[in-house]
Amino acid sequence: QGQANGAGEADGQTGQAAVQQAADAGGSGPRAEPPAQQGRHGILAPAHDARVRMEARALSGRINFDRSGRLESLSNFSSARANACVYAGRWMYEVCLGTSGIQQLGWVTLACPFTNEEGVGDAPNSYAYDGKRVKKWSVESSEYGQQWAKGDVIGCLTDLDAGEISYTRNGTPLGVAFRGVRSFAEGLAYFPAVSLSHGEKCDINFGERPFQHPVQGFAPLQEAPEQADLARAGWLAECLGRVARASKGGGGGPGDDACCSSASRGALAETHSLLLVRLLSD
């Protein structure tokens, strides 16, 4: 967990640079497409062992963030974008609202400026939905969607083949918000991005966790973990729980009094710790 200040360039710019290089290579003719990412057409994202996440160096204002995807704005207006971009196909991510105030959720290109007054939806080729004001934003605003509430899950969807951006609220489609979204054929790729007013909180899921309200035909930006990895993570969490219970006198077993003596508790905690070391070294 940490705080980040100011604006900078994202690691995801590598993806945008690849898109731009491919576009430049096309000259005045058809644009050459960038290579597929991990066998998935239309996305440029970190390697398979890295996470799609909001990039701390690609923000404006002050944002408190952690690796799980939770964000909190500590300044009047803060913006951040992800380290992955899409240029074709149908993609989505989810935002769970920790507060119900002004948040602008959507998609931007690198050309979208992040300042203390401008963010997602305030520049050409950037698109946002704000359920506090029940509006959509792309330079200008208009009525759209529903009033949102704390705990709502907002799906942010883009269909770059059809040139459309839409949203869902707790699984309910809100309809197409934007049409005529320019695509890679015109040299553009889009990053997930959010802008938050002071004190606003949200939890962003790019697909590393199962979506609460998946939409058929739309893929997550982050590929889900393998089942073997999930099983291993579950076992690891169980072992950590046993170590914690043993160190507190619970014995690490199902009962609070499974282990009575302090020597036995210490031996059991040491055994679990060694198992964890062996697991992590594999």
Side-chain angles (χ1 to χ4, degrees):
Q1 187 174 18
Q3 296 180 13
N5 302 275
E9 296 304 319
D11 290 343
Q13 187 176 1
T14 302
Q16 181 67 35
V19 173
Q20 188 61 54
Q21 289 170 6
D24 294 342
S28 60
R31 297 191 183 277
E33 291 197 4
Q37 179 70 24
Q38 304 170 20
R40 300 197 299 164
H41 172 72
I43 184 170
L44 290 165
H48 72 280
D49 58 347
R51 296 178 62 244
V52 177
R53 57 185 174 83
M54 286 300 181
E55 175 53 56
R57 294 178 295 168
L59 62 86
S60 175
R62 296 179 60 222
I63 294 181
N64 191 36
F65 63 94
D66 62 30
R67 292 178 59 84
S68 69
R70 288 187 290 267
L71 304 176
E72 178 182 4
S73 175
L74 303 178
S75 56
N76 287 337
F77 195 66
S78 303
S79 300
R81 68 169 181 264
N83 62 348
C85 61
V86 294
Y87 59 90
R90 307 169 81 192
W91 305 91
M92 71 173 290
Y93 68 98
E94 285 187 338
V95 181
C96 182
L97 303 179
T99 52
S100 59
I102 294 175
Q103 304 187 34
Q104 295 172 205
L105 314 177
W107 306 83
V108 302
T109 67
L110 278 181
C112 176
F114 285 167
T115 70
N116 60 358
E117 296 182 349
E118 293 183 317
V120 184
D122 294 325
N125 304 313
S126 72
Y127 305 91
Y129 164 49
D130 174 7
K132 170 65 174 179
R133 294 173 286 188
V134 197
K135 291 181 180 293
K136 60 182 181 180
W137 302 78
S138 183
V139 181
E140 297 180 350
S141 66
S142 59
E143 297 295 321
Y144 173 81
Q146 303 172 352
Q147 186 85 35
W148 62 27
K150 178 181 177 180
D152 281 352
V153 177
I154 306 301
C156 303
L157 294 75
T158 182
D159 182 346
L160 291 175
D161 296 334
E164 296 177 347
I165 288 175
S166 58
Y167 296 85
T168 63
R169 177 176 176 242
N170 299 325
T172 300
L174 300 179
V176 175
F178 304 100
R179 303 183 189 274
V181 177
R182 298 167 64 194
S183 67
F184 175 74
E186 300 177 76
L188 297 177
Y190 295 89
F191 293 78
V194 301
S195 294
L196 311 176
S197 293
H198 182 268
E200 292 302 308
K201 302 176 184 179
C202 65
D203 183 355
I204 301 177
N205 179 18
F206 294 112
E208 185 176 53
R209 293 162 280 158
F211 285 149
Q212 295 189 48
H213 304 285
V215 178
Q216 186 174 4
F218 287 81
L221 280 80
Q222 175 78 62
E223 291 186 287
E226 299 290 339
Q227 288 300 316
D229 291 337
L230 291 174
R232 179 173 175 173
W235 187 84
L236 177 59
E238 181 182 354
C239 287
L240 287 171
R242 289 181 178 178
V243 170
R245 289 193 296 272
S247 64
K248 293 180 180 179
D256 290 339
D257 298 323
C259 187
C260 297
S261 72
S262 60
S264 296
R265 290 197 300 268
L268 187 58
E270 182 179 1
T271 299
H272 286 147
S273 298
L274 289 173
L275 285 172
L276 290 177
V277 169
R278 289 183 61 185
L279 174 66
L280 296 173
S281 63
D282 288 342

